[in-house]
Amino acid sequence: MNLKRNGALLGALAVGAMTLAACGSDDNSASGGADTSDSTATCEGKERLSGAGSSAQKNAMDQFVATYISVCQQQGTNVNVAYNPTGSGDGRTQFVAGQVDFAGSDSAITGEQAEEAKTRCVGGEAWNLPLVFGPVSIAYNLDGVDDLVLDAPTIAKIFNGGINRWNDPAIAALNEGTDLPDSAITPIFRSDSSGTTDNVQQYLGVAAPQDWTTGAGSDFTGGVGEGARGSAGVAQAVAGSAGTVTYVEKSFADQQGLNSARIDTGSGPVELTEETAAKVIDGAEFVGEGVGDLTLDLTSIFGTTEEDAYPLVLATYEIVCSAGYDADTSAAVKSFLTSAANEGQQGLTEQGYVPLPESFKEKLTASVEAIS
């Protein structure tokens, strides 16, 4: 993994990851047993932890908690982690106020809020630890076309009205030999405030800056198409109407049987798979160096041109104090996050997330261990 310092931090993941302040609120949970026999979680410290924030990571968090409880029960300890998916912004606010032990956030805590967190983290500061990753599909419903290639410029133009027909020359050039219909494109966007929207718009701003000039943010700025609420809502809208296209977490696209476009990053079309998403995570860079805060340089993800690396992957952070917890809380936070970063990753694929690559896991675990 490239850990070089990169001073450019793209704005916050306000999904923004697998979105979001609102996208993950749809029930898309799945469960699977994890092998906890080799867990390094100590199950020490206070028995009840609290967290709040990103709804995008709720299903992953449910799995982390269930796995952690199982690990500790095997050690003869009863524990629990109460996580409330109130949205990233609220989670950060509660964390700064000392109302929860950690926050889940689709964006790193930065600026004034990070400064305020230093008061809460007496003797320390807030660290952003990316723990949950999820790919986003450009999902479509087009009769007779089950393999479609798009690139960032064409995606940008589809969602801002610059391209409005499926046989547009720009799309045709990426899909030689495919019989594209001369029919209208209907973009479906999130009508609710969404981190998925923010991250997709950030991606377009990085990968197609000349074509996406309306900026990012939790609200859709493209100005065309039809809105639907929630991840389930946009996926259902596309499934029910030919000629439509949307952006949505892969698990929701899969549930509706939707096709996902391959994205050409300049090194050839890349299919959305666990392996291609993991590859871009493995190549991610950080704003800082060394052990500690792991705020991602999002340009290294969204702007990738690496072969077979899928660029539309969103990250969700756990925000913790580097120091300043009481001893029992510190021990419990470290134990829980250690479990989540290791055996907790098992089975995440079935829920539409991407398990952490080994090199990334090692970096994350080292930062967890450094919490004091």
Side-chain angles (χ1 to χ4, degrees):
M1 176 181 295
N2 189 342
L3 301 179
K4 69 182 181 182
R5 184 175 186 86
N6 188 322
L9 171 61
L10 196 69
L13 278 177
V15 33
M18 212 183 146
T19 336
L20 333 221
C23 82
S25 58
D26 305 295
D27 184 8
N28 191 35
S29 61
S31 60
D35 180 4
T36 62
S37 58
D38 295 326
S39 176
T40 56
T42 64
C43 300
E44 295 175 342
K46 69 178 185 180
E47 295 181 351
R48 300 290 183 267
L49 282 176
S50 62
S54 168
S55 57
Q57 67 171 6
K58 178 186 181 298
N59 293 336
M61 187 59 65
D62 288 346
Q63 176 166 307
F64 296 157
V65 172
T67 300
Y68 184 55
I69 289 173
S70 176
V71 165
C72 294
Q73 284 179 339
Q74 292 175 33
Q75 297 186 24
T77 304
N78 291 320
V79 299
N80 194 22
V81 181
Y83 182 78
N84 191 1
T86 57
S88 297
D90 182 71
R92 294 192 301 271
T93 298
Q94 289 195 50
F95 173 77
V96 170
Q99 297 169 347
V100 291
D101 299 316
F102 68 92
S105 179
D106 306 317
S107 58
I109 189 168
T110 59
E112 181 179 343
Q113 202 168 42
E115 286 298 314
E116 293 173 353
K118 291 181 179 180
T119 301
R120 179 265 160 87
C121 300
V122 182
E125 59 186 6
W127 280 355
N128 300 288
L129 304 180
L131 181 64
V132 180
F133 287 85
V136 172
S137 162
I138 302 298
Y140 67 95
N141 180 345
L142 189 59
D143 290 342
V145 179
D146 56 10
D147 182 18
L148 181 71
V149 177
L150 299 172
D151 59 13
T154 56
I155 295 169
K157 291 174 183 176
I158 285 171
F159 284 98
N160 67 18
I163 291 176
N164 54 35
R165 301 199 71 80
W166 282 108
N167 64 348
D168 185 278
I171 299 178
L174 294 167
N175 295 273
E176 293 184 8
T178 299
D179 186 14
L180 297 168
D182 182 14
S183 59
I185 300 175
T186 303
I188 306 294
F189 60 88
R190 288 284 295 271
S191 60
D192 53 324
S193 181
S194 161
T196 308
T197 297
D198 184 36
N199 279 271
V200 169
Q201 294 181 146
Q202 288 189 53
Y203 158 69
L204 295 175
V206 170
Q210 295 181 332
D211 300 294
W212 191 263
T213 59
T214 53
S218 303
D219 296 319
F220 180 67
T221 65
V224 298
E226 300 176 1
R229 185 172 183 82
S231 300
V234 295
Q236 290 167 1
V238 171
S241 181
T244 53
V245 61
T246 193
Y247 52 87
V248 70
E249 296 89 331
K250 180 180 182 294
S251 57
F252 289 94
D254 291 346
Q255 282 184 351
Q256 292 295 330
L258 299 176
N259 291 311
S260 295
R262 292 186 289 156
I263 297 181
D264 192 333
T265 63
S267 300
V270 182
E271 183 181 359
L272 172 49
T273 67
E274 177 185 344
E275 291 74 23
T276 60
K279 188 170 184 177
V280 80
I281 298 168
D282 202 33
E285 299 173 3
F286 301 94
V287 174
E289 293 180 336
V291 173
D293 181 76
L294 296 181
T295 299
L296 292 162
D297 167 24
L298 298 182
T299 61
S300 67
I301 296 177
F302 295 153
T304 186
T305 57
E306 187 176 3
E307 187 176 357
D308 294 326
Y310 186 82
L312 248 179
V313 175
L314 312 182
T316 298
Y317 297 96
E318 309 312 320
I319 300 173
V320 301
C321 287
S322 64
Y325 290 123
D326 62 75
D328 281 346
T329 301
S330 177
V333 168
K334 293 171 68 172
S335 180
F336 171 63
L337 292 182
T338 296
S339 175
N342 290 280
E343 62 270 7
Q345 299 290 312
Q346 299 175 34
L348 286 185
T349 302
E350 288 76 9
Q351 300 191 46
Y353 300 102
V354 183
L356 298 176
E358 285 302 317
S359 59
F360 197 102
K361 187 186 299 183
E362 292 170 5
K363 179 70 174 175
L364 175 61
T365 300
S367 289
V368 171
E369 291 174 350
I371 297 170
S372 61

